[in-house]
Amino acid sequence: MAEAIISAIIGDVVGRAISLLIGRFTSDKESTEGKLQRISHLLIRIHSVVEEAKGRQISNHGTLQWLSELIDSEYQGYYLLDSISIGCGGEKADEPSDDCKVAPLQVSTLSLFNPAKRVRVAGGTIWRSKFSWRHDVSADDEIERVLERLQGMSHDIREFIMLLQDCKPIHRPLATNIFREGHMFGRHVEKEIIINFVLHEDDQSTGGELCVLPIVGGNGVGKTTLVQYACDDARVRNHFEVIFVCSFSFIYDVKKNEGTAIDPLDVIRGGNFCGQKCLVVFEDVYMHRKPKLEELLQGLRCCKEGSKVIITTNNRRVANIGTVEPVILTALCSAEYWFFFKAHAFAGADIEDNPRLISAGKELARKMKGSFFGAKIIGEVLRDHPDPKFWCKVLKSNIGAEMCPLLGDGIGYISDLAGNLLPGHLDMSKVTRVTVSKDLSPRTTEVARLKDVCGAVPHDNMMACWADGVRFANVLVCKSVLPFCYHYYIARCSCTCTVGSANSCSKLVLSLV
């Protein structure tokens, strides 16, 4: 009898303990789902305010800084919802294959456009990265951190909206927060800082000294793109009589929409700027060009009051020539860059049904380390091959590993990046950049696409090998779209099936004879 009583007591205690644990687990899960729903609602609220702010001409530096923080918080929130681990009971995302090792996370099924969709959060970790470091963070801790930040940003959002009421609306035909051809991705705050500088009417009480704004950043962070889009803004076009973009061997007249291969010093000596309100941009001013830049600035002192100069450089010592604080550009943060990469790799497709693609895509984005060219080149190839095995194969390649510079926009970087995507029987010998007018483009019949080259298979006869050798003579690796021109990066590829291979086309043909 005593044993039965003890057994009953123990059973009751164990049952209560299990019930308590189950109750706590269910409560925690519901609490986590509630937090994610709150994050989703806060993001919708913040996003609507950010979009309204982008349609206003904000001249106050503090308000622009506030907007920058709102945008950063928005990206962090979206990144969390895209990255959070999921899984519950029998529902489990496909595991990566043995030959594809990716970060230990799976994709959230939360849809911002369907808040009713339930999210099941499993214990696990979320990866965070700023490209220079990364570490594991508890999923619950990350959710709590993002929620607290969004709540803090939304707390005073009414005051921010009131400040926007005093800002003039601007014409903005399309949103610029998602990259599409002909429109800039992000950098909205930096663009407005540049526009505020060029539109500001100062008294120039420094004896006629021109106001010079330096834009400083490493190769490939988007200096040229940012400045060109600022110059192409209607407010800037209407403010200046002359807008020239100079690269020391080439001048582009923004107002006339035409370019000339000429030394800018010859143009300045010819008096083209005298007595006119001018905006002159000098691109890629390296240290050895600084003396020539100083000579050019002396020649521009005859310009009308209110004229401005912008220089882009990767050297802080060159930036000392500026008369105002420089705009410093760095690589996009991991959250913002992920959406740039995602826009190219997925192109708006519904990606919720294949978490392996997202998981591999996030690892690829990390390997790109913020490279815009990397996202364009890799993204186009991935978009046309939505196969997890192919994505894993790309992930295992050497892209982003030892390429230098990491963010480079140089021909060598682009060649290395594209070369790592080619199948073994194709070889890339040279990449060239072709700059053409915005209204022109190479004839598509003469240029193959990198996505087609990546899908090419070895040949079974010499005729097929020769045909592909001709077909892949010129391959469009990527295209950089700017307001004033297109940059086409074209590679020359050749088939190597007939060169020293055990299964070469020539040997296959001989065996058939």
Side-chain angles (χ1 to χ4, degrees), residues 153-183:
M153 295 304 301
S154 64
H155 181 71
D156 299 324
I157 209 165
R158 289 186 179 181
E159 183 180 346
F160 182 79
I161 295 173
M162 291 179 63
L163 290 173
L164 292 181
Q165 303 309 308
D166 296 329
C167 301
K168 296 179 181 179
I170 58 176
H171 178 61
R172 194 165 60 95
L174 286 176
T176 56
N177 59 322
I178 296 296
F179 175 86
R180 300 312 308 161
E181 285 201 358
H183 296 276

Side-chain angles (χ1 to χ4, degrees), residues 18 128 196 212 265 268 293 438 483 485 491 494 507:
I18 293 174
R128 295 174 59 196
N196 289 336
V212 181
L265 192 56
I268 293 172
L293 175 63
K438 186 175 180 180
C485 61
S494 58
K507 293 182 179 180

Side-chain angles (χ1 to χ4, degrees), residues 240-465:
F240 294 96
E241 299 169 84
V242 176
I243 303 177
F244 274 8
V245 178
C246 310
S247 62
F248 290 91
S249 60
F250 185 88
I251 288 184
Y252 191 92
D253 189 329
V254 176
K255 302 283 281 189
K256 295 181 180 179
N257 196 31
E258 61 183 24
T260 307
I262 189 174
D263 190 323
L265 192 56
D266 294 336
V267 179
I268 293 172
R269 287 171 177 168
N272 299 57
F273 298 92
C274 289
Q276 300 188 79
K277 183 183 286 189
C278 305
L279 171 61
V280 184
V281 178
F282 295 103
E283 294 183 337
D284 297 327
V285 182
Y286 300 110
M287 195 62 193
H288 69 276
R289 290 175 173 170
K290 186 176 180 181
K292 185 173 183 179
L293 175 63
E294 292 171 340
E295 185 179 357
L296 290 168
L297 293 179
Q298 286 296 321
L300 289 172
R301 295 185 68 175
C302 65
C303 292
K304 188 176 179 180
E305 183 176 327
S307 296
K308 301 292 176 67
V309 174
I310 298 174
I311 63 172
T312 67
T313 180
N314 60 1
N315 194 310
R316 294 286 186 117
R317 289 184 293 172
V318 173
N320 293 336
I321 205 169
T323 60
V324 296
E325 287 294 319
V327 174
I328 309 296
L329 293 186
T330 58
L332 296 180
C333 70
S334 57
E336 192 169 3
Y337 180 74
W338 160 242
F339 288 100
F340 179 83
F341 182 88
K342 182 178 173 182
H344 286 79
F346 297 96
D350 186 4
I351 56 178
E352 294 180 349
D353 296 333
N354 202 329
R356 286 183 61 190
L357 290 186
I358 280 285
S359 189
K362 283 185 176 294
E363 283 298 312
L364 284 165
R366 269 190 283 272
K367 290 186 73 173
M368 289 297 98
K369 299 180 176 68
S371 168
F372 293 118
F373 277 100
K376 290 179 181 180
I377 297 172
I378 300 294
E380 181 182 4
V381 174
L382 296 178
R383 184 173 65 245
D384 287 275
H385 298 85
D387 179 5
K389 291 183 178 179
F390 180 83
W391 285 43
C392 291
K393 179 181 177 181
V394 175
L395 179 59
K396 288 174 61 182
S397 68
N398 293 326
I399 56 170
E402 298 178 355
M403 292 184 296
C404 184
L406 294 177
L407 296 173
D409 59 351
I411 299 297
Y413 173 88
I414 294 172
S415 178
D416 288 344
L417 191 66
N420 275 287
L421 297 173
L422 295 179
H425 68 287
L426 289 174
D427 184 43
M428 180 181 295
S429 58
K430 186 179 181 181
V431 176
T432 57
R433 188 177 82 172
V434 180
T435 302
V436 299
S437 165
K438 186 175 180 180
D439 300 325
L440 301 175
S441 64
R443 284 180 289 177
T444 55
T445 55
E446 297 180 357
V447 182
R449 298 279 178 169
L450 181 62
K451 61 185 181 183
D452 299 324
V453 182
C454 292
V457 296
H459 312 95
D460 56 1
N461 62 78
M462 289 188 65
M463 289 301 295
C465 182

Side-chain angles (χ1 to χ4, degrees), residues 38-54 66-78 146-158 160-161 164 177:
R38 272 195 286 161
I39 288 175
S40 178
H41 291 310
L42 287 170
L43 283 172
I44 293 172
R45 184 181 183 190
I46 290 175
H47 178 74
S48 63
V49 174
V50 167
E51 285 301 301
E52 176 64 24
K54 288 180 177 180
W66 196 344
L67 175 60
S68 178
E69 293 176 359
L70 283 171
I71 293 173
D72 184 61
S73 299
E74 181 185 6
Y75 276 114
Q76 291 293 333
Y78 285 136
V146 171
L147 179 59
E148 288 180 2
R149 180 172 186 183
L150 292 176
Q151 287 176 331
M153 295 304 301
S154 64
H155 181 71
D156 299 324
I157 209 165
R158 289 186 179 181
F160 182 79
I161 295 173
L164 292 181
N177 59 322

